[in-house]
Amino acid sequence: MSEPAAFDRRWIAHRGGGRAAPENTLAAFRAGYAAGFRAFECDVTLSRDGVPFLLHDTTLTRTTGVRGAAATQRWDDLRDLDAGAWFGARFRGEPLASLDTVLAFAAARRAWLNLELKPARGAAARTGVVVATRVARWLCEQPRAPAPLLSSFSPRALRAARAVLAQRQARLQLALLCAHYDARVLRSARALGASALHLHWRAVTPARARAIHAAGLALRVYTVNRMPTTTRLWAWGVEGVFTDRLDLPARGNA
Ligand code: G3P
Ligand code: MG
């Protein structure tokens, strides 16, 4: 069977594999890759002992069935949790993914990663430092790998990441995530040295897209699951969309 055509980096698989597999697991990345995606967004947080791993929520309840805040658990206790069964029997036993396993996945396939920093309360700076340090080191070991992009809703996490990247002269870029748009957002992105703004699709208008581009920032939009919205966004010149629909790029090309 021939492989599907690979999509360009404008199409970003949200949480690794959108709705096709349990979010933020390696199974999700495999599903995204098999569908033709070569760009992946995922959420990164820290265990109590500082191991970066993938999780969207602050608690483990929804995706592992285990009660409690993720940040209070050690990685040794997290690594064996089942993060697949909630999604379907086929994924039973799928573990939580460490950042290291995702970096290895990306290196082997030359995939592009957008690592969204999802710090626990009070852990923004630490999360920024740990993830930026790990990714900068990985990039030295993998000079041919596409440099990941670090994004966050937390300016504090981005500032901490930025300090690490500057110190190490790492070729990683930053993006500020925002659910809403106003002029402060542009100022904040600039002050952080971000190269892009990642906005909720409802917050994007043609005038705002123009203002963002005029400020020298790229614009990516989450989470876009309808083709008419995507078509509009392309017309407004956005640089990328995060989608849960792995079938969407093929529909657009049809
Ligand atoms: O990074 C884009 C998007 O993932 C932000 O929202 O809540 O799905 O992480 P959320
Ligand atoms: Mg995310």
Side-chain angles (χ1 to χ4, degrees), residues 14-15 41-43 56 116 118 153 177:
H14 187 228
R15 303 185 192 175
E41 185 265 2
C42 59
D43 305 301
H56 177 272
E116 182 194 336
K118 282 269 199 241
F153 287 104
L177 266 159

Side-chain angles (χ1 to χ4, degrees), residues 38-165:
R38 298 296 178 264
F40 301 86
E41 185 265 2
C42 59
D43 305 301
V44 185
T45 195
L46 296 185
S47 65
R48 190 175 100 195
D49 49 339
V51 176
F53 72 101
L54 274 48
L55 192 74
H56 177 272
D57 303 355
T58 53
T59 70
L60 297 155
T61 317
R62 181 174 60 89
T63 54
T64 70
V66 171
R67 281 172 182 257
T72 62
Q73 312 280 325
R74 300 174 64 83
W75 176 243
D76 267 354
D77 298 320
L78 291 167
R79 66 190 314 158
D80 294 327
L81 295 182
D82 185 335
W86 71 277
F87 192 85
R90 190 157 71 86
F91 296 100
R92 193 173 295 281
E94 181 69 32
L96 290 166
S98 68
L99 174 60
D100 279 0
T101 61
V102 171
L103 292 174
F105 177 96
R109 295 164 185 79
R110 297 273 162 79
W112 181 68
L113 295 175
N114 170 197
L115 304 170
E116 182 194 336
L117 306 171
K118 282 269 199 241
R121 205 187 173 90
R126 184 176 182 228
T127 305
V129 168
V130 169
V131 175
T133 304
R134 177 67 196 110
V135 179
R137 189 159 12 103
W138 172 81
L139 212 50
C140 288
E141 298 155 7
Q142 303 286 339
R144 290 156 69 92
L149 174 76
L150 303 184
S151 66
S152 191
F153 287 104
S154 163
R156 184 172 291 190
L158 290 176
R159 258 193 306 277
R162 185 187 178 201
V164 170
L165 301 178

